[in-house]
Amino acid sequence: MSNIGFKENLMNEFKSDRTCLPDSDIIDAVVAFANTDGGDLFLGVENDGEITGLHNKHKDITQLAAFIANRTVPPVPVRTEILVTPKMYQCIHTK
């Protein structure tokens, strides 16, 4: 099994996506980062750092970034990237 190699802290949060993380949980995490100094949400990573992969709904990074911008007021811009180590996971960067 793959591990991300670091722990959660104030700037990095891990969210499991095995059973499709609810949209509201993604929005809550992004807004929390936007209201502080920013950070990275790692979707598809368990709390212990194990990379378990993305649900199919969250594999389109363009769609996910647009969804976040459309569901936040004012819109929160994010940068998303897909990372692969044999399983696919996603990093959502918030400033």
Side-chain angles (χ1 to χ4, degrees):
M1 295 194 189
S2 296
N3 192 286
I4 198 163
F6 54 91
K7 296 185 182 290
E8 287 185 299
N9 56 40
L10 293 175
M11 301 296 287
N12 298 297
E13 184 168 349
F14 305 154
K15 292 287 187 185
S16 176
D17 201 30
R18 288 185 204 188
T19 59
C20 193
L21 184 69
D23 293 340
S24 60
D25 289 2
I26 295 171
I27 297 299
D28 289 348
V30 167
V31 168
F33 281 134
N35 285 331
T36 59
D37 293 327
D40 295 329
L41 173 62
F42 292 90
L43 191 57
V45 179
E46 304 302 309
N47 286 337
D48 64 0
E50 179 188 350
I51 300 168
T52 52
L54 288 172
H55 187 274
N56 285 336
K57 178 180 176 184
H58 296 133
K59 290 183 179 177
D60 184 338
I61 60 175
T62 305
Q63 182 181 18
L64 190 57
F67 164 77
I68 292 168
N70 289 331
R71 293 281 301 268
T72 53
V73 178
V76 175
V78 296
R79 183 172 48 90
T80 58
E81 65 180 306
I82 294 285
L83 305 161
V84 180
T85 62
K87 294 192 178 190
M88 184 182 299
Y89 66 106
Q90 185 165 166
C91 181
I92 302 169
H93 304 281
T94 307
K95 290 190 176 201

